[in-house]
Amino acid sequence: MMPAAGCLMPAANLSSVNYLTTGPPSGLCPACHALTLCDGSCFRLDEEARSLGYYQDAHRAWPVNLDVISWLGAFHVRNEVYERAIPYFELAAAIQPQEVKWALMTASCYRRIGSYGPALKR
């Protein structure tokens, strides 16, 4: 499926949208949104470092997609960069406050960097 000509919203406009209340960016058609997410997953197994850029782009385009947030957080955990994983898991916890796994993942990251106070608050 090819994106419609001119369907992409300029990047400057993406940052001013409140995605939690408005839904997907109106200038991004579903096909383009799917392509953005698909690009990262195409490299998931072979070239994880390359796919990081695609997932970061997908996160900038649609910052409340839990699949992308989860992948980014897990990527940083796999690479033992727990400080970078924490914001992703905290964002996921804000999006899905009833889901316990996000609080547990956040607490685990805090524990692994030796910040026991924040870990116990989760």
Side-chain angles (χ1 to χ4, degrees):
M1 176 180 271
M2 294 298 294
C7 71
L8 293 177
M9 178 185 292
N13 293 340
L14 290 175
S15 63
S16 63
V17 178
N18 181 349
Y19 300 106
L20 292 174
T21 59
T22 62
S26 59
L28 198 62
C29 72
C32 293
H33 179 65
L35 285 173
T36 303
L37 297 179
C38 209
D39 286 343
S41 64
C42 296
F43 302 104
R44 189 176 287 178
L45 297 175
D46 297 335
E47 301 177 20
E48 197 169 69
R50 182 174 174 191
S51 66
L52 174 63
Y54 288 104
Y55 275 95
Q56 288 172 331
D57 290 344
H59 182 62
R60 277 190 289 277
W62 182 235
V64 295
N65 183 306
L66 286 170
D67 292 331
V68 172
I69 293 168
S70 177
W71 188 93
L72 287 166
F75 172 84
H76 292 300
V77 167
R78 281 190 300 277
N79 290 291
E80 299 180 6
V81 187
Y82 304 110
E83 296 87 356
R84 288 191 175 182
I86 290 170
Y88 293 111
F89 294 135
E90 287 178 339
L91 177 60
I95 295 169
Q96 275 188 329
Q98 75 284 1
E99 185 64 55
V100 176
K101 75 177 175 181
W102 304 125
L104 292 173
M105 294 298 291
T106 305
S108 174
C109 289
Y110 277 119
R111 181 187 57 81
R112 290 178 186 197
I113 62 173
S115 296
Y116 298 107
L120 292 172
K121 290 180 184 177
R122 302 286 167 212

PDB file of all heavy atoms in Angstrom, residues 10-46:
ATOM      1  N   PRO A  10       4.091  18.148   7.995  1.00  0.00           N
ATOM      2  CA  PRO A  10       5.449  18.606   8.293  1.00  0.00           C
ATOM      3  C   PRO A  10       5.833  18.291   9.729  1.00  0.00           C
ATOM      4  O   PRO A  10       5.007  18.354  10.630  1.00  0.00           O
ATOM      5  CB  PRO A  10       5.376  20.117   8.066  1.00  0.00           C
ATOM      6  CG  PRO A  10       4.195  20.324   7.170  1.00  0.00           C
ATOM      7  CD  PRO A  10       3.244  19.209   7.483  1.00  0.00           C
ATOM      8  N   ALA A  11       7.101  17.937   9.937  1.00  0.00           N
ATOM      9  CA  ALA A  11       7.565  17.522  11.263  1.00  0.00           C
ATOM     10  C   ALA A  11       7.323  18.580  12.313  1.00  0.00           C
ATOM     11  O   ALA A  11       7.059  18.277  13.475  1.00  0.00           O
ATOM     12  CB  ALA A  11       9.047  17.172  11.204  1.00  0.00           C
ATOM     13  N   ALA A  12       7.385  19.848  11.958  1.00  0.00           N
ATOM     14  CA  ALA A  12       7.170  20.919  12.929  1.00  0.00           C
ATOM     15  C   ALA A  12       5.766  20.857  13.506  1.00  0.00           C
ATOM     16  O   ALA A  12       5.545  21.177  14.674  1.00  0.00           O
ATOM     17  CB  ALA A  12       7.409  22.273  12.278  1.00  0.00           C
ATOM     18  N   ASN A  13       4.795  20.417  12.717  1.00  0.00           N
ATOM     19  CA  ASN A  13       3.421  20.345  13.195  1.00  0.00           C
ATOM     20  C   ASN A  13       3.190  19.156  14.117  1.00  0.00           C
ATOM     21  O   ASN A  13       2.276  19.170  14.926  1.00  0.00           O
ATOM     22  CB  ASN A  13       2.454  20.265  12.016  1.00  0.00           C
ATOM     23  CG  ASN A  13       2.439  21.532  11.204  1.00  0.00           C
ATOM     24  OD1 ASN A  13       2.846  22.596  11.675  1.00  0.00           O
ATOM     25  ND2 ASN A  13       2.000  21.432   9.966  1.00  0.00           N
ATOM     26  N   LEU A  14       3.980  18.095  13.987  1.00  0.00           N
ATOM     27  CA  LEU A  14       3.786  16.904  14.807  1.00  0.00           C
ATOM     28  C   LEU A  14       4.036  17.179  16.286  1.00  0.00           C
ATOM     29  O   LEU A  14       3.387  16.622  17.142  1.00  0.00           O
ATOM     30  CB  LEU A  14       4.703  15.773  14.334  1.00  0.00           C
ATOM     31  CG  LEU A  14       4.357  15.158  12.989  1.00  0.00           C
ATOM     32  CD1 LEU A  14       5.423  14.145  12.605  1.00  0.00           C
ATOM     33  CD2 LEU A  14       3.002  14.503  13.030  1.00  0.00           C
ATOM     34  N   SER A  15       4.983  18.056  16.582  1.00  0.00           N
ATOM     35  CA  SER A  15       5.343  18.279  17.979  1.00  0.00           C
ATOM     36  C   SER A  15       4.302  19.080  18.731  1.00  0.00           C
ATOM     37  O   SER A  15       4.285  19.077  19.955  1.00  0.00           O
ATOM     38  CB  SER A  15       6.701  18.978  18.064  1.00  0.00           C
ATOM     39  OG  SER A  15       6.610  20.243  17.452  1.00  0.00           O
ATOM     40  N   SER A  16       3.410  19.776  18.043  1.00  0.00           N
ATOM     41  CA  SER A  16       2.442  20.624  18.728  1.00  0.00           C
ATOM     42  C   SER A  16       1.112  19.915  18.989  1.00  0.00           C
ATOM     43  O   SER A  16       0.204  20.509  19.519  1.00  0.00           O
ATOM     44  CB  SER A  16       2.191  21.885  17.905  1.00  0.00           C
ATOM     45  OG  SER A  16       1.613  21.535  16.663  1.00  0.00           O
ATOM     46  N   VAL A  17       1.002  18.655  18.632  1.00  0.00           N
ATOM     47  CA  VAL A  17      -0.253  17.921  18.771  1.00  0.00           C
ATOM     48  C   VAL A  17      -0.287  17.198  20.108  1.00  0.00           C
ATOM     49  O   VAL A  17       0.688  16.582  20.514  1.00  0.00           O
ATOM     50  CB  VAL A  17      -0.409  16.898  17.614  1.00  0.00           C
ATOM     51  CG1 VAL A  17      -1.673  16.092  17.771  1.00  0.00           C
ATOM     52  CG2 VAL A  17      -0.387  17.603  16.277  1.00  0.00           C
ATOM     53  N   ASN A  18      -1.418  17.259  20.804  1.00  0.00           N
ATOM     54  CA  ASN A  18      -1.605  16.494  22.038  1.00  0.00           C
ATOM     55  C   ASN A  18      -2.197  15.144  21.638  1.00  0.00           C
ATOM     56  O   ASN A  18      -3.389  15.009  21.454  1.00  0.00           O
ATOM     57  CB  ASN A  18      -2.534  17.233  22.995  1.00  0.00           C
ATOM     58  CG  ASN A  18      -2.722  16.482  24.285  1.00  0.00           C
ATOM     59  OD1 ASN A  18      -2.337  15.320  24.408  1.00  0.00           O
ATOM     60  ND2 ASN A  18      -3.309  17.129  25.259  1.00  0.00           N
ATOM     61  N   TYR A  19      -1.345  14.134  21.502  1.00  0.00           N
ATOM     62  CA  TYR A  19      -1.763  12.832  20.981  1.00  0.00           C
ATOM     63  C   TYR A  19      -2.697  12.082  21.911  1.00  0.00           C
ATOM     64  O   TYR A  19      -3.481  11.268  21.475  1.00  0.00           O
ATOM     65  CB  TYR A  19      -0.535  11.969  20.701  1.00  0.00           C
ATOM     66  CG  TYR A  19       0.385  12.583  19.684  1.00  0.00           C
ATOM     67  CD1 TYR A  19       1.585  13.145  20.067  1.00  0.00           C
ATOM     68  CD2 TYR A  19       0.036  12.599  18.352  1.00  0.00           C
ATOM     69  CE1 TYR A  19       2.428  13.712  19.130  1.00  0.00           C
ATOM     70  CE2 TYR A  19       0.879  13.165  17.411  1.00  0.00           C
ATOM     71  CZ  TYR A  19       2.058  13.715  17.806  1.00  0.00           C
ATOM     72  OH  TYR A  19       2.882  14.268  16.888  1.00  0.00           O
ATOM     73  N   LEU A  20      -2.612  12.349  23.222  1.00  0.00           N
ATOM     74  CA  LEU A  20      -3.464  11.623  24.157  1.00  0.00           C
ATOM     75  C   LEU A  20      -4.927  11.981  23.963  1.00  0.00           C
ATOM     76  O   LEU A  20      -5.804  11.173  24.230  1.00  0.00           O
ATOM     77  CB  LEU A  20      -3.035  11.900  25.597  1.00  0.00           C
ATOM     78  CG  LEU A  20      -1.684  11.324  25.990  1.00  0.00           C
ATOM     79  CD1 LEU A  20      -1.299  11.799  27.382  1.00  0.00           C
ATOM     80  CD2 LEU A  20      -1.712   9.809  25.948  1.00  0.00           C
ATOM     81  N   THR A  21      -5.219  13.185  23.493  1.00  0.00           N
ATOM     82  CA  THR A  21      -6.611  13.591  23.344  1.00  0.00           C
ATOM     83  C   THR A  21      -7.085  13.624  21.903  1.00  0.00           C
ATOM     84  O   THR A  21      -8.272  13.541  21.656  1.00  0.00           O
ATOM     85  CB  THR A  21      -6.831  14.985  23.963  1.00  0.00           C
ATOM     86  OG1 THR A  21      -5.972  15.917  23.306  1.00  0.00           O
ATOM     87  CG2 THR A  21      -6.559  14.973  25.443  1.00  0.00           C
ATOM     88  N   THR A  22      -6.166  13.751  20.946  1.00  0.00           N
ATOM     89  CA  THR A  22      -6.594  13.923  19.561  1.00  0.00           C
ATOM     90  C   THR A  22      -6.485  12.681  18.700  1.00  0.00           C
ATOM     91  O   THR A  22      -7.041  12.642  17.623  1.00  0.00           O
ATOM     92  CB  THR A  22      -5.775  15.040  18.883  1.00  0.00           C
ATOM     93  OG1 THR A  22      -4.408  14.649  18.874  1.00  0.00           O
ATOM     94  CG2 THR A  22      -5.962  16.363  19.574  1.00  0.00           C
ATOM     95  N   GLY A  23      -5.745  11.677  19.124  1.00  0.00           N
ATOM     96  CA  GLY A  23      -5.561  10.495  18.299  1.00  0.00           C
ATOM     97  C   GLY A  23      -4.416  10.676  17.334  1.00  0.00           C
ATOM     98  O   GLY A  23      -3.595  11.564  17.516  1.00  0.00           O
ATOM     99  N   PRO A  24      -4.339   9.851  16.290  1.00  0.00           N
ATOM    100  CA  PRO A  24      -3.226   9.930  15.345  1.00  0.00           C
ATOM    101  C   PRO A  24      -3.156  11.292  14.676  1.00  0.00           C
ATOM    102  O   PRO A  24      -4.168  11.952  14.522  1.00  0.00           O
ATOM    103  CB  PRO A  24      -3.534   8.846  14.320  1.00  0.00           C
ATOM    104  CG  PRO A  24      -4.537   7.971  14.946  1.00  0.00           C
ATOM    105  CD  PRO A  24      -5.276   8.800  15.950  1.00  0.00           C
ATOM    106  N   PRO A  25      -1.970  11.700  14.264  1.00  0.00           N
ATOM    107  CA  PRO A  25      -1.848  12.970  13.558  1.00  0.00           C
ATOM    108  C   PRO A  25      -2.734  12.979  12.325  1.00  0.00           C
ATOM    109  O   PRO A  25      -2.743  12.031  11.552  1.00  0.00           O
ATOM    110  CB  PRO A  25      -0.372  13.025  13.167  1.00  0.00           C
ATOM    111  CG  PRO A  25       0.320  12.066  14.072  1.00  0.00           C
ATOM    112  CD  PRO A  25      -0.693  11.027  14.432  1.00  0.00           C
ATOM    113  N   SER A  26      -3.488  14.052  12.145  1.00  0.00           N
ATOM    114  CA  SER A  26      -4.438  14.098  11.031  1.00  0.00           C
ATOM    115  C   SER A  26      -3.741  14.141   9.685  1.00  0.00           C
ATOM    116  O   SER A  26      -4.291  13.720   8.686  1.00  0.00           O
ATOM    117  CB  SER A  26      -5.361  15.302  11.183  1.00  0.00           C
ATOM    118  OG  SER A  26      -4.586  16.487  11.202  1.00  0.00           O
ATOM    119  N   GLY A  27      -2.523  14.631   9.627  1.00  0.00           N
ATOM    120  CA  GLY A  27      -1.802  14.695   8.369  1.00  0.00           C
ATOM    121  C   GLY A  27      -1.119  13.394   8.003  1.00  0.00           C
ATOM    122  O   GLY A  27      -0.480  13.298   6.971  1.00  0.00           O
ATOM    123  N   LEU A  28      -1.229  12.388   8.846  1.00  0.00           N
ATOM    124  CA  LEU A  28      -0.564  11.111   8.608  1.00  0.00           C
ATOM    125  C   LEU A  28      -1.640  10.062   8.351  1.00  0.00           C
ATOM    126  O   LEU A  28      -2.400   9.713   9.241  1.00  0.00           O
ATOM    127  CB  LEU A  28       0.250  10.744   9.843  1.00  0.00           C
ATOM    128  CG  LEU A  28       1.339   9.707   9.714  1.00  0.00           C
ATOM    129  CD1 LEU A  28       2.411  10.191   8.740  1.00  0.00           C
ATOM    130  CD2 LEU A  28       1.977   9.455  11.060  1.00  0.00           C
ATOM    131  N   CYS A  29      -1.745   9.610   7.112  1.00  0.00           N
ATOM    132  CA  CYS A  29      -2.771   8.626   6.794  1.00  0.00           C
ATOM    133  C   CYS A  29      -2.415   7.288   7.443  1.00  0.00           C
ATOM    134  O   CYS A  29      -1.259   7.056   7.791  1.00  0.00           O
ATOM    135  CB  CYS A  29      -2.918   8.473   5.282  1.00  0.00           C
ATOM    136  SG  CYS A  29      -1.548   7.629   4.490  1.00  0.00           S
ATOM    137  N   PRO A  30      -3.376   6.394   7.641  1.00  0.00           N
ATOM    138  CA  PRO A  30      -3.088   5.096   8.270  1.00  0.00           C
ATOM    139  C   PRO A  30      -2.000   4.308   7.565  1.00  0.00           C
ATOM    140  O   PRO A  30      -1.197   3.634   8.201  1.00  0.00           O
ATOM    141  CB  PRO A  30      -4.430   4.369   8.205  1.00  0.00           C
ATOM    142  CG  PRO A  30      -5.444   5.447   8.139  1.00  0.00           C
ATOM    143  CD  PRO A  30      -4.804   6.565   7.375  1.00  0.00           C
ATOM    144  N   ALA A  31      -1.926   4.399   6.242  1.00  0.00           N
ATOM    145  CA  ALA A  31      -0.890   3.666   5.510  1.00  0.00           C
ATOM    146  C   ALA A  31       0.486   4.189   5.867  1.00  0.00           C
ATOM    147  O   ALA A  31       1.419   3.417   6.091  1.00  0.00           O
ATOM    148  CB  ALA A  31      -1.127   3.780   4.003  1.00  0.00           C
ATOM    149  N   CYS A  32       0.639   5.507   5.959  1.00  0.00           N
ATOM    150  CA  CYS A  32       1.937   6.093   6.309  1.00  0.00           C
ATOM    151  C   CYS A  32       2.303   5.743   7.740  1.00  0.00           C
ATOM    152  O   CYS A  32       3.453   5.441   8.038  1.00  0.00           O
ATOM    153  CB  CYS A  32       1.911   7.604   6.150  1.00  0.00           C
ATOM    154  SG  CYS A  32       1.733   8.136   4.444  1.00  0.00           S
ATOM    155  N   HIS A  33       1.332   5.799   8.624  1.00  0.00           N
ATOM    156  CA  HIS A  33       1.588   5.448  10.023  1.00  0.00           C
ATOM    157  C   HIS A  33       2.037   3.997  10.126  1.00  0.00           C
ATOM    158  O   HIS A  33       2.995   3.675  10.801  1.00  0.00           O
ATOM    159  CB  HIS A  33       0.340   5.689  10.858  1.00  0.00           C
ATOM    160  CG  HIS A  33       0.506   5.338  12.297  1.00  0.00           C
ATOM    161  ND1 HIS A  33       1.373   6.015  13.116  1.00  0.00           N
ATOM    162  CD2 HIS A  33      -0.050   4.371  13.048  1.00  0.00           C
ATOM    163  CE1 HIS A  33       1.327   5.476  14.327  1.00  0.00           C
ATOM    164  NE2 HIS A  33       0.471   4.482  14.305  1.00  0.00           N
ATOM    165  N   ALA A  34       1.383   3.120   9.390  1.00  0.00           N
ATOM    166  CA  ALA A  34       1.759   1.706   9.404  1.00  0.00           C
ATOM    167  C   ALA A  34       3.146   1.515   8.817  1.00  0.00           C
ATOM    168  O   ALA A  34       3.935   0.719   9.315  1.00  0.00           O
ATOM    169  CB  ALA A  34       0.734   0.878   8.635  1.00  0.00           C
ATOM    170  N   LEU A  35       3.467   2.250   7.763  1.00  0.00           N
ATOM    171  CA  LEU A  35       4.797   2.139   7.161  1.00  0.00           C
ATOM    172  C   LEU A  35       5.871   2.583   8.133  1.00  0.00           C
ATOM    173  O   LEU A  35       6.933   1.978   8.218  1.00  0.00           O
ATOM    174  CB  LEU A  35       4.877   2.981   5.884  1.00  0.00           C
ATOM    175  CG  LEU A  35       4.161   2.420   4.666  1.00  0.00           C
ATOM    176  CD1 LEU A  35       4.175   3.439   3.532  1.00  0.00           C
ATOM    177  CD2 LEU A  35       4.805   1.126   4.212  1.00  0.00           C
ATOM    178  N   THR A  36       5.599   3.646   8.877  1.00  0.00           N
ATOM    179  CA  THR A  36       6.571   4.133   9.848  1.00  0.00           C
ATOM    180  C   THR A  36       6.857   3.055  10.886  1.00  0.00           C
ATOM    181  O   THR A  36       8.000   2.790  11.220  1.00  0.00           O
ATOM    182  CB  THR A  36       6.040   5.395  10.558  1.00  0.00           C
ATOM    183  OG1 THR A  36       5.752   6.366   9.572  1.00  0.00           O
ATOM    184  CG2 THR A  36       7.059   5.942  11.517  1.00  0.00           C
ATOM    185  N   LEU A  37       5.815   2.398  11.374  1.00  0.00           N
ATOM    186  CA  LEU A  37       6.004   1.352  12.372  1.00  0.00           C
ATOM    187  C   LEU A  37       6.627   0.115  11.744  1.00  0.00           C
ATOM    188  O   LEU A  37       7.452  -0.543  12.351  1.00  0.00           O
ATOM    189  CB  LEU A  37       4.671   0.992  13.008  1.00  0.00           C
ATOM    190  CG  LEU A  37       3.999   2.116  13.768  1.00  0.00           C
ATOM    191  CD1 LEU A  37       2.673   1.625  14.330  1.00  0.00           C
ATOM    192  CD2 LEU A  37       4.877   2.647  14.858  1.00  0.00           C
ATOM    193  N   CYS A  38       6.242  -0.187  10.529  1.00  0.00           N
ATOM    194  CA  CYS A  38       6.727  -1.387   9.859  1.00  0.00           C
ATOM    195  C   CYS A  38       8.221  -1.301   9.582  1.00  0.00           C
ATOM    196  O   CYS A  38       8.916  -2.284   9.664  1.00  0.00           O
ATOM    197  CB  CYS A  38       5.968  -1.559   8.557  1.00  0.00           C
ATOM    198  SG  CYS A  38       5.795  -3.261   8.049  1.00  0.00           S
ATOM    199  N   ASP A  39       8.693  -0.115   9.266  1.00  0.00           N
ATOM    200  CA  ASP A  39      10.110   0.023   8.959  1.00  0.00           C
ATOM    201  C   ASP A  39      10.982  -0.446  10.112  1.00  0.00           C
ATOM    202  O   ASP A  39      11.995  -1.073   9.912  1.00  0.00           O
ATOM    203  CB  ASP A  39      10.452   1.469   8.608  1.00  0.00           C
ATOM    204  CG  ASP A  39       9.957   1.853   7.235  1.00  0.00           C
ATOM    205  OD1 ASP A  39       9.643   0.936   6.451  1.00  0.00           O
ATOM    206  OD2 ASP A  39       9.884   3.052   6.953  1.00  0.00           O
ATOM    207  N   GLY A  40      10.620  -0.135  11.340  1.00  0.00           N
ATOM    208  CA  GLY A  40      11.410  -0.569  12.478  1.00  0.00           C
ATOM    209  C   GLY A  40      11.335  -2.061  12.693  1.00  0.00           C
ATOM    210  O   GLY A  40      12.341  -2.718  12.946  1.00  0.00           O
ATOM    211  N   SER A  41      10.166  -2.636  12.562  1.00  0.00           N
ATOM    212  CA  SER A  41      10.018  -4.056  12.834  1.00  0.00           C
ATOM    213  C   SER A  41      10.681  -4.911  11.766  1.00  0.00           C
ATOM    214  O   SER A  41      11.014  -6.058  12.015  1.00  0.00           O
ATOM    215  CB  SER A  41       8.543  -4.421  12.963  1.00  0.00           C
ATOM    216  OG  SER A  41       7.874  -4.196  11.747  1.00  0.00           O
ATOM    217  N   CYS A  42      10.893  -4.377  10.585  1.00  0.00           N
ATOM    218  CA  CYS A  42      11.551  -5.146   9.527  1.00  0.00           C
ATOM    219  C   CYS A  42      12.981  -5.505   9.905  1.00  0.00           C
ATOM    220  O   CYS A  42      13.515  -6.499   9.444  1.00  0.00           O
ATOM    221  CB  CYS A  42      11.564  -4.348   8.229  1.00  0.00           C
ATOM    222  SG  CYS A  42       9.922  -4.030   7.567  1.00  0.00           S
ATOM    223  N   PHE A  43      13.595  -4.709  10.757  1.00  0.00           N
ATOM    224  CA  PHE A  43      14.984  -4.929  11.136  1.00  0.00           C
ATOM    225  C   PHE A  43      15.108  -5.479  12.542  1.00  0.00           C
ATOM    226  O   PHE A  43      16.180  -5.574  13.082  1.00  0.00           O
ATOM    227  CB  PHE A  43      15.773  -3.616  11.037  1.00  0.00           C
ATOM    228  CG  PHE A  43      15.735  -3.029   9.666  1.00  0.00           C
ATOM    229  CD1 PHE A  43      14.935  -1.944   9.385  1.00  0.00           C
ATOM    230  CD2 PHE A  43      16.496  -3.569   8.643  1.00  0.00           C
ATOM    231  CE1 PHE A  43      14.893  -1.403   8.116  1.00  0.00           C
ATOM    232  CE2 PHE A  43      16.468  -3.032   7.374  1.00  0.00           C
ATOM    233  CZ  PHE A  43      15.665  -1.944   7.108  1.00  0.00           C
ATOM    234  N   ARG A  44      14.008  -5.834  13.163  1.00  0.00           N
ATOM    235  CA  ARG A  44      13.992  -6.203  14.577  1.00  0.00           C
ATOM    236  C   ARG A  44      15.003  -7.293  14.907  1.00  0.00           C
ATOM    237  O   ARG A  44      15.722  -7.200  15.885  1.00  0.00           O
ATOM    238  CB  ARG A  44      12.593  -6.643  14.976  1.00  0.00           C
ATOM    239  CG  ARG A  44      12.444  -6.839  16.457  1.00  0.00           C
ATOM    240  CD  ARG A  44      11.032  -7.181  16.825  1.00  0.00           C
ATOM    241  NE  ARG A  44      10.212  -5.989  16.700  1.00  0.00           N
ATOM    242  CZ  ARG A  44       8.920  -5.966  16.915  1.00  0.00           C
ATOM    243  NH1 ARG A  44       8.279  -7.059  17.222  1.00  0.00           N
ATOM    244  NH2 ARG A  44       8.227  -4.857  16.802  1.00  0.00           N
ATOM    245  N   LEU A  45      15.096  -8.328  14.113  1.00  0.00           N
ATOM    246  CA  LEU A  45      15.956  -9.456  14.458  1.00  0.00           C
ATOM    247  C   LEU A  45      17.399  -9.270  14.003  1.00  0.00           C
ATOM    248  O   LEU A  45      18.325  -9.634  14.702  1.00  0.00           O
ATOM    249  CB  LEU A  45      15.390 -10.742  13.856  1.00  0.00           C
ATOM    250  CG  LEU A  45      14.024 -11.152  14.378  1.00  0.00           C
ATOM    251  CD1 LEU A  45      13.523 -12.370  13.625  1.00  0.00           C
ATOM    252  CD2 LEU A  45      14.083 -11.439  15.865  1.00  0.00           C
ATOM    253  N   ASP A  46      17.596  -8.724  12.828  1.00  0.00           N
ATOM    254  CA  ASP A  46      18.933  -8.680  12.253  1.00  0.00           C
ATOM    255  C   ASP A  46      19.757  -7.476  12.676  1.00  0.00           C
ATOM    256  O   ASP A  46      20.913  -7.602  13.047  1.00  0.00           O
ATOM    257  CB  ASP A  46      18.857  -8.710  10.726  1.00  0.00           C
ATOM    258  CG  ASP A  46      18.241  -9.983  10.211  1.00  0.00           C
ATOM    259  OD1 ASP A  46      18.312 -10.999  10.926  1.00  0.00           O
ATOM    260  OD2 ASP A  46      17.687  -9.963   9.105  1.00  0.00           O
TER     261      ASP A  46
END
